[in-house]
Amino acid sequence: MSFNTKKIKKNAFRITKDREVTALRIRVPGGHINAKYLSLIKEIADEYGNGTLHITTRQGFEVPGISFADFEEVNKKIAPILEGMEKEIGVKIADPREGYPAAGTRNVSACIGNRVCRYSNYDTTEMAQQIEKNIFPNDYHVKIALSGCPNDCIKGHLQDFGILGMVEPIYHQERCIGCKACVDNCHKRVTSALSFEQERVLRDEKRCIGCGECILQCPTNAWERGEQFFKVVIMGRTGKKNPRLAKPFLKWASRDVVIAIVNNVYDYIERHIDTSLAKEHIGYIVDRTGYPKFKEEILKGVELNSECEIADKINWNGYQTGEKI
Amino acid sequence: MSLTAEKSLKNPYLSQKAEILEIFQETEIEYTFRLESDFELNFGQFLEVSIPGYGEAPISVSNFTDQWLELTIRKVGKLTDRIHDLEEGDYLYLRGPYGNGFDFENYQDKNLIIAAGGTGLAPVRSLIEYAGNNLDQLSDFEVLAGFKDAGSLLFERDIKRWRQKFDVLLTVDKTCDIWGECVGLITEHIAELHLENIANTEVIVVGPPPMMKYSIIEFQKLGVPDDQIWVSYERKMHCGLGKCGHCKIEDNYVCIDGPVYNYAEVKEIRD
Amino acid sequence: MGFNFSENGFNQLLESLNQDYQIYAPVRKKNKDSFSANDLITYDLIKSLEEIELTVKSKYSAKEIVFPIRETLFHFVEGEQFIASDTDDKYIIFLRPCDRNAFKRLDKIFLENGPEEDIYYKRLRENVKFFVIECTSGFDSCFCVSMESNTVEAEDYAAFLRFEENGVSCEVNDQDLAVEFSSQAEEIKFEPQFIEKNKVEVKLPDREKLTNEVFEHQLWTEYSQRCIACGRCNTSCPTCSCFTVKDVLYDENKKSGERFRRWAGCHIDGFTEMAGGHNFREDYGDRMRYKTMHKIYDFGERFDFDMCVGCGRCDDVCPEYISFSKCINKLSTIIEEGV
């Protein structure tokens, strides 16, 4: 049998161990799914696959055991998912009956966010869906994850872009009862940004990571929930060569700035990607061009909010996997 | 809001300035400050004492006359550390007096025994002075004072003077070479008391909470009824006016209903 | 005297009252509660009817208007004390019967307990007029009927208001305000209504049977495990009146500063801690016992009515889902069945 594997892969199907058997990958932008789609996915698994489902690390579903011969039919079958979970949020899909138009840029994943979690500083799913709309479909390999707070439960530190929610805590001394719940908690669980002097709380802005814990701790709402900001950590990765945690790129960035820099990534990749490789990941491109070049290009045309801090230098250490342990 | 210098006498939160006339060292960490005073005081009352900027604390008046009062202050925190830096001629800020204090009528013509532990001697010192000067108004009078060790002994010069007039049993929990007095917890010495006329005996117990608890038990064992036992309670207080709530125990506000209680009335109450 | 206002008419009334009064009412502050994207319902100044939030119970009560969370007692400069002079500000507070009754509790402590009136409370309290909001259905956690604080007497309010679909009906008792009301509305007959049954009912323990034996009951040890001593029950309570007095020195000049007071709470660490470190109530279950007894027994022993007004805010705000009404009912059951 003859199949164009490139086309199949671009269509979000996998080339598997077994000849002529593929697996369908379903994106769940923002990691939150209307339960009604689960019955459709189940139907596909039962009818075309082997009745099992794999839950991916990127919060998608993979339906294994589908015959190559069925993939066009399966594409038609998943049209409601493309319609409801992609087109609905603004992703440009020419024909939802033809399956996913690209697979390079991965599902934009997100922690459960403030629809449920008390710690989250924003609606991660909603913002993930906005980013999905802006960058998908795209063939370049970019991984983005959004976390509601600096706890980073979604592991944004292992992504090309980890977007972590921050909030500016605003202190109202006239509402403070000096219980020090915020100060104690900041010392125990966060960065010791808070101290208590002359019967008032002081916040060291350099140490504060905008997690909002002080707001949550306060029994009198003396800490007001101020403006929403983001920390962006970049170029974390796993992989066979040089796994490493992402490092901070922006702190106190506005939502508009985050959206704008993510949009700019694709032009940067376009200019610098080594096309001789099958699919060069963005992290390796940054390794080659160096951080200053990346920074210059990704911030091009971006109007930074006044609070936004940018890393001067970034030194990703990670480790070389070839070294003796 | 504009500031006015009106020093309203109606404002019970304002303090009055009092000059330090003399300072006596009691122990390494306790000093007695004698201050000019025109307060009308009763034995066992307390004042809210402060230095602006360093806070305010309730402190028992440890002795007084018409011209002066004494405060015996232990160095335990920001305010008292600062007070200990003061010298004669400096000022403290006072408001009060607060609390009911000891009513001497309750002890008139009685056998009065005062058991004091550590700094508990301060709130009864003025009463002891008065009793010592008016022994004819009592049938008998004895003081038992317990301290941790010789180094924490308070009012040594007074005790010498008192002993010329009435019995003062001094004891320390831990002895040392120079100590020529009794040794052992105050409770052990209470147990050894021979009370001849229990019906005519009144007992005052003041000190740290555990000392008070166990001393009362010993007096009860000797047959002293609860309503002949008197206590003075120490609690956290921020106003002295029955407002701030820190000193409330059940329906009692120690600052206004106490600090002196007949034990029969408060034996059941719990913090 | 009863009146009926259209929405416009009522707004005109508010506008004219605003000339002389600062008007406080429960309002909705978008996205301002502790958790993100949650609205904070709390007291603030209003100018129009639309700003008043009537559908949800406010997180904090109107207590903070008359007993501010932090209040300067006096300033000092070089050892001289200066009290801030009285303001002539006058206040109107919109509040439900439970919260109006809560002020009766605060009045007891600040104006009657002890040898002196609290002048700081008094000087604000004297300038307050209460506009009671008719409340006939309450909210899920309310138990005002059990605490007998569901009703108010005519002398307790300047005005009593019923918010209706197309306007406001009300009764005015305050002669100073009657003119303002009558000039902008038609006169009607008005009879205040009160809630008669809450979803939550509380049975208070029989005072006669309530002895200190119950202090040792394991009921309290359960709370030792559950309570985290955050103090939200205290800060949201319309009747908690405890405070702490502190001094600060201004940074610029170490010789000047202020003495102020701020709310304290019996659940919060340090409430009973004396200089030197001794603490009279370390255990959280003991704190729950202390608060419970104060709210439904001790206060009533000292004054004529219980402290708790059954507003249920402490239930609403407890992060550990400790329910005060449930606690009272458990206590009653224990007392009934014999400790």
Side-chain angles (χ1 to χ4, degrees):
Chain A
M1 291 285 260
S2 156
F3 293 105
N4 181 343
T5 60
K6 297 245 166 20
K7 198 179 160 231
I8 286 172
K9 284 196 271 186
K10 192 174 151 82
N11 213 181
F13 287 91
R14 191 195 277 273
I15 305 301
T16 71
K17 277 169 63 183
D18 298 319
R19 297 253 347 141
E20 297 185 29
V21 177
T22 182
L24 163 70
R25 274 175 292 175
I26 294 164
R27 301 170 75 90
V28 181
H32 216 82
I33 185 168
N34 189 318
K36 72 181 177 192
Y37 296 116
L38 289 179
S39 39
L40 178 57
I41 297 168
K42 177 189 180 298
E43 234 173 78
I44 295 165
D46 285 341
E47 210 172 308
Y48 299 95
N50 60 15
T52 70
L53 273 183
H54 183 78
I55 297 167
T56 76
T57 59
R58 298 215 64 80
Q59 301 182 315
F61 294 98
E62 188 154 345
V63 189
I66 296 171
S67 163
F68 270 26
D70 288 337
F71 93 81
E72 280 178 356
E73 211 173 309
V74 168
N75 273 344
K76 285 193 185 76
K77 195 91 186 164
I78 62 165
I81 290 178
L82 272 101
E83 192 78 53
M85 285 166 59
E86 300 290 348
K87 258 192 111 164
E88 189 114 296
I89 62 168
V91 176
K92 287 187 186 69
I93 306 275
D95 184 353
R97 297 169 55 82
E98 286 185 0
Y100 287 100
T105 289
R106 298 302 204 240
N107 183 45
V108 183
S109 49
C111 73
I112 195 158
N114 78 353
R115 294 181 186 183
V116 175
C117 180
R118 293 179 296 166
Y119 296 100
S120 180
N121 289 316
Y122 68 107
D123 185 344
T124 51
T125 298
E126 182 273 330
M127 184 162 165
Q129 289 174 346
Q130 190 189 348
I131 292 175
E132 170 94 350
K133 179 192 84 177
N134 292 350
I135 63 173
F136 188 74
N138 212 307
D139 292 333
Y140 293 134
H141 204 112
V142 178
K143 290 175 176 156
I144 300 172
L146 287 82
S147 200
C149 78
N151 269 349
D152 193 16
C153 295
I154 195 67
K155 318 302 177 217
H157 278 80
L158 291 170
Q159 318 280 329
D160 299 320
F161 291 89
I163 296 165
L164 319 180
M166 299 174 81
V167 61
E168 187 195 4
I170 303 167
Y171 180 61
H172 295 278
Q173 184 176 288
E174 73 281 4
R175 290 195 69 85
C176 178
I177 59 164
C179 70
K180 303 191 197 78
C182 56
V183 180
D184 292 347
N185 182 70
C186 193
H187 280 266
K188 282 185 198 141
R189 298 181 54 193
V190 198
T191 56
S192 299
L194 301 183
S195 57
F196 196 73
E197 277 173 44
Q198 287 294 324
E199 302 302 333
R200 69 192 190 281
V201 181
L202 299 179
R203 181 170 69 98
D204 181 343
E205 288 182 24
K206 287 196 188 76
R207 295 185 101 142
C208 178
I209 58 165
C211 65
E213 285 264 0
C214 46
I215 301 167
L216 302 180
Q217 293 291 329
C218 185
T220 54
N221 285 63
W223 284 105
E224 180 193 338
R225 188 164 279 280
E227 223 177 304
Q228 186 190 96
F229 292 100
F230 297 88
K231 179 176 180 178
V232 180
V233 295
I234 57 166
M235 306 308 144
R237 65 188 174 208
T238 56
K240 297 203 172 80
K241 206 172 169 181
N242 171 222
R244 64 194 190 186
L245 282 183
K247 285 277 177 85
F249 168 48
L250 302 177
K251 197 178 162 187
W252 302 109
S254 70
R255 181 175 169 129
D256 288 348
V257 166
V258 175
I259 300 285
I261 59 141
V262 171
N263 290 346
N264 273 353
V265 166
Y266 292 88
D267 285 344
Y268 166 80
I269 298 175
E270 180 82 39
R271 277 191 289 277
H272 301 289
I273 193 164
D274 181 348
T275 46
S276 69
L277 298 165
K279 47 170 187 178
E280 194 180 31
H281 291 199
I282 180 175
Y284 296 100
I285 304 174
V286 177
D287 288 351
R288 198 170 57 247
T289 68
Y291 169 71
K293 187 80 190 158
F294 166 82
K295 178 176 151 183
E296 181 198 318
E297 293 193 17
I298 205 159
L299 293 176
K300 202 170 282 172
V302 176
E303 207 172 305
L304 288 174
N305 55 305
S306 60
E307 301 86 355
C308 187
E309 296 166 18
I310 310 162
D312 283 338
K313 282 181 257 179
I314 300 181
N315 182 17
W316 290 273
N317 298 319
Y319 75 100
Q320 299 299 325
T321 50
E323 286 164 9
K324 197 168 180 285
I325 60 166
Chain B
M1 272 193 266
S2 66
L3 290 181
T4 53
E6 58 171 302
K7 191 177 162 186
S8 164
L9 286 173
K10 282 187 203 152
N11 188 335
Y13 291 96
L14 291 180
S15 307
Q16 68 182 68
K17 225 167 150 179
E19 189 184 343
I20 298 171
L21 305 174
E22 227 176 324
I23 300 173
F24 310 92
Q25 180 167 13
E26 305 288 352
T27 70
E28 248 176 57
I29 54 165
E30 282 140 330
Y31 283 72
T32 294
F33 296 78
R34 180 175 292 175
L35 298 139
E36 61 172 338
S37 151
D38 55 7
F39 288 105
E40 270 182 44
L41 287 154
N42 188 17
F43 318 121
Q45 285 190 301
F46 67 94
L47 299 170
E48 284 286 347
V49 179
S50 69
I51 299 175
Y54 296 86
E56 200 172 36
I59 292 171
S60 295
V61 176
S62 63
N63 206 357
F64 62 88
T65 66
D66 290 344
Q67 283 83 44
W68 52 257
L69 60 83
E70 288 183 352
L71 301 168
T72 302
I73 299 173
R74 175 184 283 185
K75 211 171 140 97
V76 279
K78 187 172 142 190
L79 171 65
T80 49
D81 285 354
R82 178 79 188 104
I83 291 176
H84 279 230
D85 292 339
L86 298 180
E87 291 169 6
E88 287 163 13
D90 289 340
Y91 294 89
L92 275 176
Y93 291 76
L94 312 174
R95 61 184 178 92
Y98 298 121
N100 52 1
F102 294 96
D103 184 350
F104 193 79
E105 274 189 18
N106 293 320
Y107 318 117
Q108 190 84 35
D109 301 323
K110 300 285 175 69
N111 275 339
L112 177 60
I113 301 171
I114 296 179
T119 48
L121 195 52
V124 287
R125 182 167 165 241
S126 57
L127 178 65
I128 294 171
E129 287 288 352
Y130 180 84
N133 293 333
N134 298 276
L135 284 172
D136 55 328
Q137 293 183 38
L138 294 170
S139 148
D140 197 7
F141 182 45
E142 182 172 359
V143 173
L144 291 86
F147 294 94
K148 205 169 57 195
D149 50 38
S152 50
L153 179 63
L154 297 172
F155 312 127
E156 207 175 345
R157 64 200 181 283
D158 301 315
I159 292 168
K160 268 184 201 151
R161 196 161 40 77
W162 295 343
R163 278 182 160 170
Q164 292 166 6
K165 300 187 211 168
F166 52 89
D167 286 345
V168 179
L169 183 141
L170 271 184
T171 182
V172 289
D173 303 351
K174 276 180 290 178
T175 188
C176 64
D177 294 345
I178 55 155
W179 185 249
E181 305 274 347
C182 296
V183 177
L185 296 175
I186 193 166
T187 47
E188 297 166 26
H189 297 285
I190 294 169
E192 284 168 14
L193 289 173
H194 295 286
L195 303 182
E196 275 163 20
N197 185 357
I198 287 177
N200 199 42
T201 300
E202 298 287 331
V203 169
I204 293 172
V205 179
V206 193
M211 174 270 170
M212 289 177 74
K213 183 180 166 189
Y214 293 105
S215 298
I216 288 166
I217 291 172
E218 291 305 325
F219 280 115
Q220 286 169 328
K221 280 190 205 159
L222 292 176
V224 180
D226 291 340
D227 63 359
Q228 286 167 237
I229 299 173
W230 303 80
V231 292
S232 177
Y233 284 150
E234 203 184 349
R235 286 296 180 279
K236 180 175 184 132
M237 292 170 188
H238 275 268
C239 69
L241 301 161
K243 316 287 184 200
C244 81
H246 287 280
C247 72
K248 190 187 86 70
I249 322 173
E250 297 193 4
D251 63 338
N252 275 277
Y253 286 78
V254 176
C255 68
I256 52 177
D257 304 328
V260 177
Y261 291 98
N262 185 282
Y263 185 63
E265 285 165 24
V266 291
K267 63 178 177 182
E268 296 281 333
I269 74 168
R270 239 185 77 180
D271 281 285
Chain C
M1 234 183 292
F3 295 102
N4 183 265
F5 289 90
S6 66
E7 283 178 26
N8 266 343
F10 195 75
N11 274 330
Q12 278 165 21
L13 172 72
L14 288 178
E15 200 184 321
S16 79
L17 290 173
N18 237 319
Q19 314 266 318
D20 296 319
Y21 296 91
Q22 299 194 31
I23 307 174
Y24 281 94
V27 300
R28 178 179 290 269
K29 296 189 176 182
K30 190 91 191 124
N31 292 339
K32 285 297 179 188
D33 204 357
S34 313
F35 301 139
S36 69
N38 284 14
D39 298 346
L40 175 64
I41 315 300
T42 192
Y43 270 82
D44 208 345
L45 291 168
I46 58 139
K47 294 216 182 294
S48 69
L49 177 61
E50 294 71 34
E51 292 171 82
I52 306 174
E53 175 56 61
L54 295 163
T55 61
V56 190
K57 195 194 301 174
S58 67
K59 182 176 182 180
Y60 302 105
S61 75
K63 171 178 84 177
E64 64 191 59
I65 303 159
V66 185
F67 172 39
I69 298 174
R70 177 181 170 133
E71 185 173 25
T72 301
L73 298 179
F74 54 83
H75 298 270
F76 46 78
V77 182
E78 303 266 6
E80 290 299 316
Q81 302 160 75
F82 301 90
I83 52 167
S85 63
D86 293 5
T87 65
D88 299 328
D89 291 346
K90 294 193 284 182
Y91 309 94
I92 286 170
I93 300 176
F94 282 75
L95 77 186
R96 289 166 201 274
C98 56
D99 286 351
R100 171 62 190 93
N101 285 313
F103 274 101
K104 288 192 172 177
R105 278 77 180 155
L106 298 175
D107 289 350
K108 285 282 173 202
I109 292 296
F110 286 113
L111 303 178
E112 289 180 33
N113 203 41
E116 317 243 15
E117 291 179 330
D118 186 284
I119 69 143
Y120 297 97
Y121 178 82
K122 192 184 177 192
R123 68 186 192 183
L124 289 167
R125 179 69 180 80
E126 281 177 338
N127 291 322
V128 172
K129 289 193 196 304
F130 292 114
F131 279 24
V132 174
I133 300 167
E134 187 171 87
C135 182
T136 50
S137 52
F139 301 100
D140 286 351
S141 59
C142 301
F143 55 100
C144 57
V145 177
S146 304
M147 297 314 298
E148 296 176 5
S149 60
N150 53 322
T151 60
V152 286
E153 300 295 328
E155 69 255 28
D156 294 336
Y157 54 82
F160 190 101
L161 307 114
R162 178 179 303 145
F163 292 87
E164 294 158 325
E165 218 156 284
N166 300 312
V168 181
S169 299
C170 61
E171 185 197 348
V172 188
N173 279 337
D174 188 289
Q175 290 312 310
D176 300 346
L177 298 179
V179 185
E180 303 242 29
F181 276 68
S182 59
S183 65
Q184 318 196 31
E186 53 170 308
E187 211 169 317
I188 53 157
K189 266 188 98 113
F190 185 89
E191 186 74 28
Q193 304 290 312
F194 304 103
I195 187 167
E196 280 160 16
K197 194 172 164 57
N198 300 120
K199 285 179 196 154
V200 175
E201 280 178 32
V202 157
K203 190 184 174 317
L204 291 169
D206 186 344
R207 297 188 90 84
E208 302 304 313
K209 291 187 193 164
L210 194 56
T211 64
N212 283 13
E213 266 176 74
V214 79
F215 286 11
E216 309 302 331
H217 199 276
Q218 64 181 30
L219 165 69
W220 310 114
T221 31
E222 181 196 326
Y223 296 114
S224 308
Q225 308 299 317
R226 291 174 64 191
C227 174
I228 57 167
C230 70
R232 280 167 176 76
C233 51
N234 294 134
T235 57
S236 65
C237 179
T239 68
C240 270
S241 57
C242 292
F243 61 84
T244 289
V245 176
K246 290 280 178 185
D247 282 9
V248 283
L249 288 165
Y250 300 144
D251 296 335
E252 324 82 66
N253 174 2
K254 290 286 180 199
K255 282 179 179 153
S256 70
E258 68 177 275
R259 180 161 299 161
F260 67 95
R261 69 173 169 201
R262 64 178 177 225
W263 290 1
C266 56
H267 272 269
I268 299 171
D269 285 349
F271 186 77
T272 57
E273 190 184 305
M274 302 213 297
H278 183 79
N279 218 315
F280 287 92
R281 249 182 334 275
E282 201 90 70
D283 182 83
Y284 297 171
D286 278 342
R287 297 180 194 179
M288 183 70 183
R289 186 253 310 150
Y290 177 84
K291 180 190 70 189
T292 305
M293 296 307 290
H294 191 195
K295 297 291 179 191
I296 63 157
Y297 185 83
D298 300 340
F299 189 94
E301 287 290 286
R302 209 172 168 90
F303 308 106
D304 324 328
F305 39 77
D306 282 319
M307 190 176 190
C308 175
V309 292
C311 75
R313 285 188 179 90
C314 50
D315 278 28
D316 303 338
V317 298
C318 180
E320 301 302 318
Y321 283 78
I322 291 171
S323 161
F324 189 57
S325 51
K326 186 98 186 163
C327 174
I328 303 171
N329 281 333
K330 278 192 212 169
L331 182 62
S332 291
T333 307
I334 290 164
I335 303 284
E336 281 312 307
E337 290 171 358
V339 182

